[in-house]
Amino acid sequence: MYYSTCPSPVGVITLACDGESLVGLWLEGQKYHGESISGALAEKDDLPIFYEAKEWLDRYFDGKMPDASELPLAPAGSAFRQKVWHILRKIPYGEIITYGDIAKQIAKNQNKASAYSRAVGGAVGHNPISIIIPCHRVVGSGGSLTGYAGGIQKKKSLLELEGADLAATC
């Protein structure tokens, strides 16, 4: 497992990979930073996946709307978390969705009456590949900017960069 860092408009970003796929992207000071990685990481800036991820981030911060599918991603997590992260990848650039909406999608996909928004919140909060798997696009009921492991101000900055309509947010 390897890591590299890069500057960004929202602070220093740490990237982690298994040599081929991105397994982590954390903002400086983010909760759960590196939590999904077992063992030590060795710094290795010259891996192709790091070049690709940094180029993706440059395009993102330039407002070019890159898609998560452009990069090989391998986030580690339970089957439930993988389902939540799959839904996150489908949230369009500049749009927001609520935790409750994600819970309803999961319940519908599993033919259940309901799923738990709290469990969805836990999965969103523990997303190990921030920005690329866009957990910042998830808001609370009524549009409140809540629950971003990287910090609410960074969440707001990312959504403003994307041109999301924040008029309804609290």
Side-chain angles (χ1 to χ4, degrees), residues 143-155:
S144 61
L145 293 181
T146 184
Y148 189 58
I152 298 301
Q153 187 54 50
K154 289 178 184 175
K155 179 177 190 159

Side-chain angles (χ1 to χ4, degrees), residues 77-153:
S78 69
F80 180 80
R81 288 184 176 181
Q82 294 290 340
K83 288 175 188 174
V84 171
W85 300 336
H86 180 75
I87 291 170
L88 296 181
R89 289 183 196 140
K90 294 181 179 207
I91 305 169
Y93 184 96
E95 294 188 22
I96 56 176
I97 188 172
T98 68
Y99 295 96
D101 291 336
I102 294 172
K104 287 175 191 170
Q105 284 185 41
I106 290 173
K108 181 179 177 186
N109 291 342
Q110 295 179 341
N111 293 320
K112 292 186 176 181
S114 65
Y116 298 108
S117 294
R118 186 175 296 254
V120 168
V124 171
H126 286 83
N127 169 22
I129 306 178
S130 295
I131 301 175
I132 296 172
I133 298 178
C135 52
H136 60 278
R137 297 180 188 152
V138 183
V139 298
S141 61
S144 61
L145 293 181
T146 184
Y148 189 58
I152 298 301
Q153 187 54 50

Side-chain angles (χ1 to χ4, degrees), residues 21-33:
S21 297
L22 201 63
V23 298
L25 185 159
W26 301 279
L27 303 173
E28 189 173 21
Q30 180 173 334
K31 281 180 166 178
Y32 318 117
H33 189 287

